[in-house]
Amino acid sequence: HYMKQLFTPIKRIRLAAITGIAAFASLSQAQAQIVNGGFEQWTPLLTMQDPTGWNSSNLFALFSGDSASVTRSRDAHWGQYAAKLTPRYSSLASDTLPALLIGQFPIASRPAGLRFMYKFKPGTGDSAIVSAELYKGSTDSSENLVGELTWTYGGTNTTYALGQADFEYYASRTPDTLVVTIVVGQEAGSRESS
């Protein structure tokens, strides 16, 4: 599962490359660039790496001594790298856990939606979910939620394909924070997706 993201100021958010989930994305009417939106920079996390400016389920794997669930891949839709998300067995949970990638970014616009390129080969019963939430103020309160979107896919795509979702807005305010969450492998006890 690869995730390659690039956010640029246009009318939609575009995510490009989800292999098992990989994507690059651009943000509609954005005033600011997303830090490491193309997953080209990676930061050491002890024995693993995370995309710079993003948080992942790798931290849990570090504590359990298990394999990284988010890795740097050269199977990129464009650029050098993509983020590959692979559910992994956790010795602490005695189960396969989903791979998770979360980014939180400043924004000063109301994007129409998210467009992205993806590849996905799920394990039995698994799916890939890309969600985005827009907030005005603290992300800790649902009262500050301005809009959100969710894209779910459970099929198989071995070459990059276009995925997209539109924001549903709940308030007329202009958001100041965008939270992007990518999850691969929804079923407990599932096999590793690739």
Side-chain angles (χ1 to χ4, degrees):
H1 306 304
Y2 303 96
M3 192 68 187
K4 179 96 178 157
Q5 289 202 329
L6 169 66
F7 286 82
T8 56
I10 59 173
K11 202 116 176 147
R12 286 197 165 282
I13 295 177
R14 285 196 267 187
L15 236 130
I18 303 176
T19 293
I21 256 190
F24 79 79
S26 59
L27 196 61
S28 68
Q29 305 165 344
Q31 299 295 321
Q33 289 289 323
I34 301 301
V35 175
N36 194 28
F39 296 134
E40 295 299 316
Q41 292 86 38
W42 290 73
T43 301
L45 183 65
L46 297 176
T47 60
M48 300 176 187
Q49 296 182 66
D50 267 351
T52 303
W54 293 78
N55 295 307
S56 79
S57 48
N58 285 346
L59 188 58
F60 185 76
L62 277 174
F63 288 114
S64 62
D66 297 318
S67 299
S69 58
V70 177
T71 56
R72 184 172 69 179
S73 171
R74 289 197 178 273
D75 183 7
H77 180 70
W78 65 270
Q80 282 191 304
Y81 304 114
K84 182 175 182 178
L85 284 76
T86 306
R88 298 285 189 199
Y89 181 80
S90 166
S91 55
L92 289 178
S94 298
D95 203 347
T96 301
L97 299 180
L100 176 69
L101 192 59
I102 299 174
Q104 182 171 317
F105 313 100
I107 187 172
S109 67
R110 292 172 57 92
L114 184 66
R115 294 174 41 123
F116 52 93
M117 299 300 295
Y118 68 93
K119 291 171 77 173
F120 186 58
K121 184 179 174 193
T124 303
D126 280 346
S127 61
I129 297 174
V130 176
S131 66
E133 298 172 332
L134 297 164
Y135 291 90
K136 179 69 174 181
S138 171
T139 60
D140 294 334
S141 172
S142 61
E143 293 176 7
N144 295 331
L145 184 65
V146 174
E148 64 185 337
L149 63 78
T150 301
W151 177 86
T152 304
Y153 184 72
T156 298
N157 252 30
T158 57
T159 59
Y160 283 102
L162 177 68
Q164 60 187 22
D166 291 329
F167 278 102
E168 179 178 352
Y169 282 93
Y170 309 119
S172 61
R173 300 180 308 248
T174 299
D176 58 17
T177 304
L178 167 69
V179 178
V180 177
T181 305
I182 303 156
V183 181
V184 173
Q186 302 311 122
E187 296 295 319
S190 64
R191 300 287 179 229
E192 293 182 1
S193 304
S194 62

